[in-house]
Amino acid sequence: MTTLLASTPSSDTTMVLFSGVSILILLFWYLATDKDRVKRNVGSAIVLLIAVFSLFAIISPSNLMQVISGKKDLSNAHNLQGGIEIVGGSAFIIEVKPNVDEETGEVVPLTPSAMDTAKSILEKRLNESGTLDAPVSVQGNRIEIQIPKIDPADADALKKILTTTAKLTIHKAHPQSQRLAELVAAGEETVPGYRAYPQDVTDEDGTIIGTRHLLVSRRPALTGKEVAAAWPDRSTNDAVNIELTSTGGKQMEAFTRTLTPGVDLIVSILDGKVINAATLQQQVLSSRFQITGLDSLEECEELSKGLSNPMENDIEVIDERTISATLGEATVKQGINAGLAGLALTIVFVLLYYRYSGIVAIIGLSLNILILFGAMALFNASFTLPGIAGIILTIGVAVDANVLIYERMREELANGKSVHASIKAAYEKAFSAIFDANITTLLTALILFWQATGSVKGFAVTLTMGILGTMLSALLCTRVMFAWSEDTGILKKVKFLDLVPKRVIDFLGKRKIAFTLSSVMIVGGLVSLGVKGDSQLGIDFVGGSVTRFEIPSGQAVSQAAAQAIVDGVETEKAATAQIEKTATGESFLTVKSTRADSPAVIEAIRTQIPGFN
């Protein structure tokens, strides 16, 4: 065990790093130059690079060529992935086991607080970035985790993360550990206050050739609760750097002050097995040290992720099954059609009202969507309902930015300025309003990402990506297009539809009325929230019951039919139905509802589906 000397760099791919640096250099050049032609050309290069990079993030060049040649279908060639409610996936049932007091040997009962802690830790392990749609729910002493359809290799990696408890403890070894450990392990001798833990013995190639035991203090000097951060040491790929909290650092200092350098052995135990045993080499260790002797970088990364979110209880995956989408195919189609209809109406309005400038706005909006989809593909973000809501909000913000620019352009033209001067002034003067609106929304998204979990965090992620794309498309892409239109002679005159009568409204004069109405609405909303409380929250927030019906062999039950039966029951809160299949071929109908609604829902299922009586 040694002290940490330096942190390790992040692991960005060469392609992402090169593209990011190139775009950043061009962006600085774009902002620094005052020459219109240079600004136009550099801006065009930025837009083109980002568009190509986003396209290749969505679909790789090799897959794109196969799609063009007809060898591959587009639906199987892209890198976009749907959320659990849209495409279905897999469900893991995890059992949380009670702890055993090391001093007394008594079982410590599981509490609701312990289950909530386990749920929170698993959510952070699986979805710390907010890009993966993986609902986690507590069911008694078990936890169900639903994961959308993803690459089999990624699914295996997630399963390893789930099955890693990562309960780290650090102990002092008994001075006569070498002589007593095997005797204590065999039950031939007892040493009060000490316990024998197993350790793998490996050869020079890292192959496990046997097991030995170390005798260490039952009471740990430090636990994994005090780990503030853990990350692989990429200079060796066989060690994990650990940084403790301030409390953990003080505990480590106090612990090592009682030891003798060069004599006493410090033992690190992970999930009941010795993973590292080293002689103290310096007088005092503090908040930074290493765990060494791991076999590969992959093992270091798995351990790092587990130690960053250590479990307080042992866990075990007791079942794995495939599940259907929580939304039926008809519902998904309705949502897609509604989104396309809204987008079509927006396009028609922009084209009719702003004419040629509307075409420019549509191209900018298309780039914005391309950037957003590319970012989601790059970060493996799932398309969930909350995420799609973030995309729709992003489109609205993007259109709003163009409206601000064009209305300012209208005013500049009305003041007698030329087309070139009006376009330039519109972008310069509308920038502050666009920046303010987007930064305000971005701050809200960042707060949601910081405080929220699960699907709400996914909404924050897509909204953040969309806002950054909006700033780029509205302020750079459309301006470059106007520059090319002017220079090529396509745009000689800017025309807008004028439907709003020219009136001067004294908004500031009505500020008292506006403040009063705003205050009444805010107070009313807070009062309504306080009065209704949890009554407006769904079962995903307040909890409920899960009822599983085993589907008889040979009987087919569709999710749409089951959901229609559930929807026909008058319930306090909306209930959902899913079809689950285990690895052994068994099928289940799973219904989630509130505890109060559960009897009525169960009765309806048993009455209307044959074989469920």
Side-chain angles (χ1 to χ4, degrees):
M1 184 178 289
T2 58
T3 54
L4 177 65
L5 298 178
S7 60
T8 54
S10 59
S11 58
D12 292 331
T13 63
T14 303
M15 179 179 179
V16 174
L17 181 61
F18 177 76
S19 302
V21 170
S22 301
I23 292 171
L24 189 62
I25 292 173
L26 289 173
L27 185 59
F28 280 130
W29 189 5
Y30 176 85
L31 295 174
T33 184
D34 291 327
K35 298 180 179 179
D36 290 339
R37 180 162 293 184
V38 174
K39 190 178 284 288
R40 180 201 68 187
N41 294 338
V42 173
S44 301
I46 295 174
V47 171
L48 183 62
L49 272 176
I50 292 178
V52 171
F53 186 63
S54 299
L55 177 62
F56 287 163
I58 297 172
I59 179 170
S60 64
S62 58
N63 283 347
L64 182 60
M65 293 305 298
Q66 291 185 26
V67 170
I68 294 174
S69 62
K71 296 180 180 179
K72 236 179 189 181
D73 186 69
L74 181 60
S75 60
N76 299 319
H78 63 76
N79 299 320
L80 300 174
Q81 59 186 29
I84 195 77
E85 68 265 57
I86 297 176
V87 299
S90 301
F92 295 94
I93 307 297
I94 296 176
E95 185 175 25
V96 182
K97 299 183 178 181
N99 287 328
V100 177
D101 191 290
E102 288 286 349
E103 299 291 334
T104 64
E106 295 181 355
V107 175
V108 180
L110 283 172
T111 63
S113 175
M115 294 302 301
D116 289 339
T117 300
K119 172 179 178 290
S120 176
I121 290 170
L122 290 174
E123 283 180 329
K124 289 178 181 178
R125 285 188 184 181
L126 287 170
N127 197 22
E128 195 164 7
S129 65
T131 59
L132 178 67
D133 176 35
V136 182
S137 59
V138 176
Q139 301 170 6
N141 69 329
R142 297 177 177 179
I143 295 176
E144 181 186 43
I145 299 178
Q146 297 184 354
I147 299 174
K149 291 179 181 177
I150 55 177
D151 185 82
D154 294 335
D156 291 340
L158 287 176
K159 190 173 181 179
K160 287 184 179 180
I161 293 172
L162 291 177
T163 54
T164 301
T165 306
K167 289 178 66 177
L168 174 71
T169 53
I170 295 175
H171 305 249
K172 174 186 176 182
H174 192 280
Q176 301 180 35
S177 173
Q178 187 173 359
R179 182 178 68 85
L180 296 173
E182 298 302 334
L183 295 174
V184 173
E188 299 176 5
E189 193 164 339
T190 302
V191 180
Y194 286 84
R195 177 182 171 185
Y197 283 92
Q199 180 184 27
D200 293 333
V201 178
T202 58
D203 58 17
E204 294 180 354
D205 298 328
T207 304
I208 298 175
I209 58 176
T211 301
R212 68 175 181 177
H213 289 82
L214 290 178
L215 189 63
V216 303
S217 171
R218 284 183 176 273
R219 185 181 295 275
L222 195 73
T223 67
K225 292 181 182 179
E226 301 303 334
V227 174
W231 64 98
D233 186 347
R234 299 185 183 278
S235 62
T236 62
N237 291 340
D238 66 353
V240 172
N241 299 315
I242 294 179
E243 182 175 352
L244 302 175
T245 62
S246 58
T247 302
K250 293 176 182 177
Q251 291 177 357
M252 177 62 82
E253 289 181 13
F255 169 55
T256 52
R257 286 185 190 280
T258 64
L259 305 180
T260 303
V263 176
D264 287 324
L265 201 65
I266 299 177
V267 180
S268 301
I269 297 175
L270 181 70
D271 295 341
K273 181 181 288 188
V274 175
I275 60 169
N276 183 253
T279 303
L280 181 66
Q281 298 296 330
Q282 62 185 71
Q283 185 62 47
V284 177
L285 292 179
S286 57
S287 60
R288 292 189 173 187
F289 60 94
Q290 278 188 331
I291 291 178
T292 59
L294 300 174
D295 295 331
S296 64
L297 176 61
E298 290 73 19
E299 187 176 353
C300 291
E301 290 177 340
E302 289 173 13
L303 177 58
S304 299
K305 195 156 190 177
L307 291 177
S308 299
N309 299 288
M311 295 292 295
E312 297 180 11
N313 296 76
D314 291 330
I315 57 175
E316 180 185 0
V317 177
I318 61 173
D319 194 13
E320 180 180 352
R321 56 189 65 171
T322 59
I323 56 177
S324 63
T326 54
L327 298 179
E329 184 178 353
T331 306
V332 174
K333 287 184 178 179
Q334 289 172 358
I336 294 175
N337 292 336
L340 292 176
L343 183 61
L345 288 174
T346 302
I347 291 174
V348 170
F349 169 78
V350 170
L351 291 176
L352 290 178
Y353 201 76
Y354 292 112
R355 301 181 182 180
Y356 181 79
S357 300
I359 297 176
V360 174
I362 297 304
I363 296 175
L365 183 61
S366 301
L367 176 65
N368 186 19
I369 295 175
L370 180 64
I371 293 172
L372 177 56
F373 281 26
M376 294 187 71
L378 183 64
F379 295 107
N380 295 319
S382 301
F383 280 87
T384 64
L385 283 184
I388 292 172
I391 294 173
I392 293 172
L393 180 58
T394 294
I395 294 174
V397 172
V399 173
D400 179 66
N402 284 286
V403 169
L404 288 172
I405 294 170
Y406 292 165
E407 290 304 317
R408 187 71 202 190
M409 193 184 302
R410 186 200 298 270
E411 293 178 4
E412 298 296 331
L413 290 169
N415 290 333
K417 289 186 177 181
S418 65
V419 171
H420 178 77
S422 297
I423 293 174
K424 187 174 182 179
Y427 277 93
E428 291 175 353
K429 294 180 179 179
F431 173 79
S432 60
I434 295 172
F435 183 79
D436 178 70
N438 282 276
I439 289 300
T440 303
T441 309
L442 181 61
L443 288 175
T444 304
L446 293 177
I447 292 172
L448 282 176
F449 180 83
W450 173 39
Q451 291 292 327
T453 59
S455 58
V456 178
K457 180 177 283 191
F459 167 80
V461 169
T462 55
L463 183 59
T464 301
M465 294 176 182
I467 290 171
L468 298 177
T470 294
M471 295 284 287
L472 182 72
S473 61
L475 297 176
L476 182 60
C477 176
T478 56
R479 187 167 185 176
V480 166
M481 289 200 61
F482 275 120
W484 280 107
S485 299
E486 284 186 89
D487 293 345
T488 57
I490 296 175
L491 183 66
K492 297 180 179 179
K493 190 175 182 180
V494 177
K495 294 182 179 181
F496 300 126
L497 192 63
D498 196 357
L499 296 178
V500 181
K502 293 179 174 59
R503 290 186 57 188
V504 176
I505 302 175
D506 184 14
F507 286 103
L508 292 179
K510 307 294 189 300
R511 61 185 181 277
K512 292 183 179 180
I513 298 175
F515 287 150
T516 301
L517 290 175
S518 298
S519 300
V520 169
M521 293 178 68
I522 292 172
V523 172
L526 293 174
V527 170
S528 175
L529 180 63
V531 171
K532 294 184 177 181
D534 292 347
S535 63
Q536 297 301 303
L537 299 177
I539 58 175
D540 291 336
F541 291 93
V542 300
S545 64
V546 177
T547 305
R548 283 188 173 87
F549 300 91
E550 184 175 358
I551 301 175
S553 178
Q555 181 174 348
V557 178
S558 70
Q559 181 189 342
Q563 187 64 50
I565 294 172
V566 171
D567 291 340
V569 180
E570 186 175 346
T571 56
E572 180 183 334
K573 299 182 185 299
T576 59
Q578 277 184 301
I579 302 296
E580 300 183 358
K581 294 182 179 180
T582 65
T584 57
E586 297 174 307
S587 298
F588 295 87
L589 170 61
T590 301
V591 179
K592 295 181 180 180
S593 62
T594 64
R595 292 181 177 87
D597 295 333
S598 182
V601 172
I602 292 174
E603 180 64 24
I605 292 291
R606 287 177 173 171
T607 302
Q608 299 185 46
I609 301 181
F612 279 58
N613 296 326

